[in-house]
Each structure stands twice: as structure tokens, then as C-alpha cells.
Amino acid sequence: MNCRLRIALYQPDIAGNTGTILRFAACLGLGVDIIEPAGFPLSDKALKRAGMDYLEMAALTRHVDWHAFEERRKAGSHRLVLLSTKATTAYTDFTFAEGDILLFGRESAGVPDPVHQAADARLTIPMQGTARSINVALSVAMAAGEAIRQLG
Ligand SMILES: C[S@@+](CC[C@H](N)C(=O)[O-])C[C@H]1O[C@@H](n2cnc3c(N)ncnc32)[C@H](O)[C@@H]1O
């Protein structure tokens, strides 16, 4: 867990989104943590199609479950910053720091309450009143983009 900024995906269930995020992270030098179980094998064709040859460049760490991820995170003293539709603080009103891990929920169900509570900060990307959520890969791009802008 030694990148300036990391993206963590909680039990992702759409391979194409994960491939897109791995490509994005590889291009920008961000680490990626996949908290398993995922809803697809990491050999999935859709993941490879979206991630292309960038998958080989990706700084990916797989964790067998949430507890294994938490052990590694706490050992490295990384802050956990959850992006959630249920949060009230806008991601643009938050001061990001080196070593932060930005955590994103699964496409079908977000994250369970204990994971929500474990976060050091909970941020939202404000949406129009009737909107439910933004595609997870796009929300990664928006939040990581703001964090990178702040960190320079
Ligand atoms: C498709 S959304 C999950 C929707 C799920 N039904 C829920 O209630 O959380 C997948 C993930 O993208 C991120 N996300 C999507 N829209 C967001 C928003 N407006 N603000 C913050 N995070 C968002 C969150 O991490 C979310 O868990």
C-alpha cells in the first residue's frame, strides 16, 4: 500500500467497471485494492477488454475479505475515505492527504453499515434531486481527480 493515493473497490460486481478503473489508476499512478469476493473472476473477458494492456501496469492488491483489507490499512495508518450517495459532505469540501484510500461500494448495493462506520470520512458527489447514483468508474474519476488536484 505504498502509492500516494489508492482506490479501494468493495466487492465489485461489474467486470467492465473494474477494468476501466484499473486502466484509469494505471494511467495516473494510483494503487488499487480489490476487496473480495468480487462478482466475477479477475480473468473475466469484460475486465480485460476494459482494462486492455493497462492491467499489466496496474498496482493492484487483492484482499480476500474486508478484515484482511482493514488489517493492512491500519498497519499502514492509511485514512479510509468512503464515497457514498448517503454521505452529506461534498467531496470538494474535503482536504485529501497523501496515503488516503478512497473506498467505493459495489454497483448493486454500495457498502454495508459496518464498512460505512469504519470510514474516517464519508463524502458524496452532489447530484440532482431525483438521481440515484453515478457509475462507479465515473465517481472514481471525479473523486480521485479532485484529490490529485489538491495534492498537486
Ligand atoms: C452504483 S453506486 C451504488 C449504488 C447503491 N445502490 C447504493 O445505494 O450505494 C456504486 C458506488 O459508486 C459510488 N458513487 C456513485 N454515485 C455516487 C455519488 N453521487 N457520491 C458518492 N459516491 C457515489 C459509491 O461508492 C457507490 O457505492
Side-chain angles (χ1 to χ4, degrees), residues 82-86 103-111 123-127 132-136 139:
L82 173 68
L83 273 291
S84 167
T85 54
K86 298 184 182 81
L103 174 65
F104 296 83
R106 65 188 311 184
E107 291 88 338
S108 55
V111 297
L123 309 178
T124 196
I125 302 167
M127 297 181 289
R132 291 189 305 278
S133 67
I134 298 167
N135 170 277
V136 68
S139 62

